[in-house]
Amino acid sequence: MKGAEGTQMITTRQGRAAQLGSTSRTVLVRCTCGRRNYFDRQAWQWLEVAFCVRCWQAILCFDLRVVSRWEGERMLREHVVYAGELKALRTIEGEMRRFLMLFRAEPLWTWPPQVVRMAQAVAANLQLVEAARARQGGVAGVPLEEEPAEMGVFLELPGEEAYELTPEQTRLLSFFSRLSAERRAVMLDFIAQEGSEL
């Protein structure tokens, strides 16, 4: 049906769009009105909403749900207002996850107690983030591993002061950790015998 200004009126239909294909830079999406749209992948993922060029309905990146143009514009305005803060928070979260990954890759005894406590706090905060995302129906990030049981034991050891190893002690501990289990057992028995004789 033709409107007063000669433009074609299109009936808007809610539902879900269909992804027809993608490249490294673009995504081909068919709107519920039937129009095929090419969206820039990175911009769509960052803004979380894109508009069909025929009916101007908004297509959400997360689940391909089609919402009204006004709802899409509201989401876009809200995103633009908080975009800088969101980007900074996501960068901080990524750095926290990277720190936790590096922390868990090394033996626990190589870290000072202050770093162990900081890693425990980082893991607890990231678990709160995951719980908040789950409540809001958002996409969970990289699943967090449970804290190693020995971390709690390590933190409950008597004495709050940090004990710093000398370079020589660090080399000896590194050498000891590379030995086979049988050699370590022999050395520990020898140390226990020496200690009991004193």
Side-chain angles (χ1 to χ4, degrees):
M1 168 179 169
K2 293 281 185 181
E5 298 163 355
T7 57
Q8 186 175 3
M9 299 295 288
I10 297 169
T11 306
T12 59
R13 291 180 297 187
Q14 304 295 316
R16 290 194 190 276
Q19 181 181 355
L20 303 177
S22 63
T23 67
S24 60
R25 292 181 166 224
T26 60
V27 181
L28 178 60
V29 177
R30 183 173 52 230
C31 181
T32 53
C33 71
R35 169 73 185 204
R36 294 180 177 194
N37 299 281
Y38 282 98
F39 296 142
D40 181 87
R41 177 194 291 273
Q42 190 173 9
W44 192 28
Q45 286 176 345
W46 173 244
L47 296 173
E48 298 175 357
V49 63
F51 296 90
C52 174
V53 296
R54 179 192 286 169
C55 65
W56 290 104
Q57 293 183 109
I59 303 171
L60 306 184
C61 180
F62 172 60
D63 56 0
L64 295 177
R65 194 163 44 93
V66 177
V67 297
S68 70
R69 174 182 180 175
W70 295 275
E71 177 67 14
E73 287 176 352
R74 183 196 64 76
M75 292 173 65
L76 193 58
R77 275 195 306 272
E78 186 177 289
H79 182 81
V80 167
V81 169
Y82 298 108
E85 185 179 353
L86 284 173
K87 193 167 188 179
L89 288 172
R90 287 177 185 171
T91 304
I92 290 169
E93 182 187 349
E95 289 300 316
M96 289 171 70
R97 289 182 184 279
R98 192 174 69 81
F99 161 71
L100 208 56
M101 185 181 68
L102 293 173
F103 173 79
R104 289 182 173 157
E106 297 291 330
L108 196 59
W109 55 265
T110 60
W111 299 103
Q114 296 93 334
V115 175
V116 174
R117 281 192 283 275
M118 186 173 72
Q120 188 181 38
V122 165
N125 285 319
L126 288 176
Q127 286 172 350
L128 288 175
V129 169
E130 295 296 332
R133 282 192 183 135
R135 280 195 304 274
Q136 295 172 357
V139 182
V142 180
L144 291 169
E145 301 171 3
E146 290 298 320
E147 283 187 4
E150 62 265 18
M151 184 183 286
V153 175
F154 184 81
L155 290 171
E156 290 168 8
L157 290 174
E160 291 295 319
E161 70 279 358
Y163 177 72
E164 298 210 6
L165 298 175
T166 64
E168 183 61 31
Q169 290 170 327
T170 304
R171 279 195 295 275
L172 286 172
L173 279 172
S174 297
F175 173 73
F176 181 76
S177 64
R178 290 191 204 113
L179 293 174
S180 64
E182 296 83 15
R183 294 290 302 273
R184 284 200 299 264
V186 169
M187 287 186 72
L188 288 173
D189 287 341
F190 176 74
I191 292 168
Q193 277 183 346
E194 291 290 319
S196 62
E197 291 175 2
L198 294 176

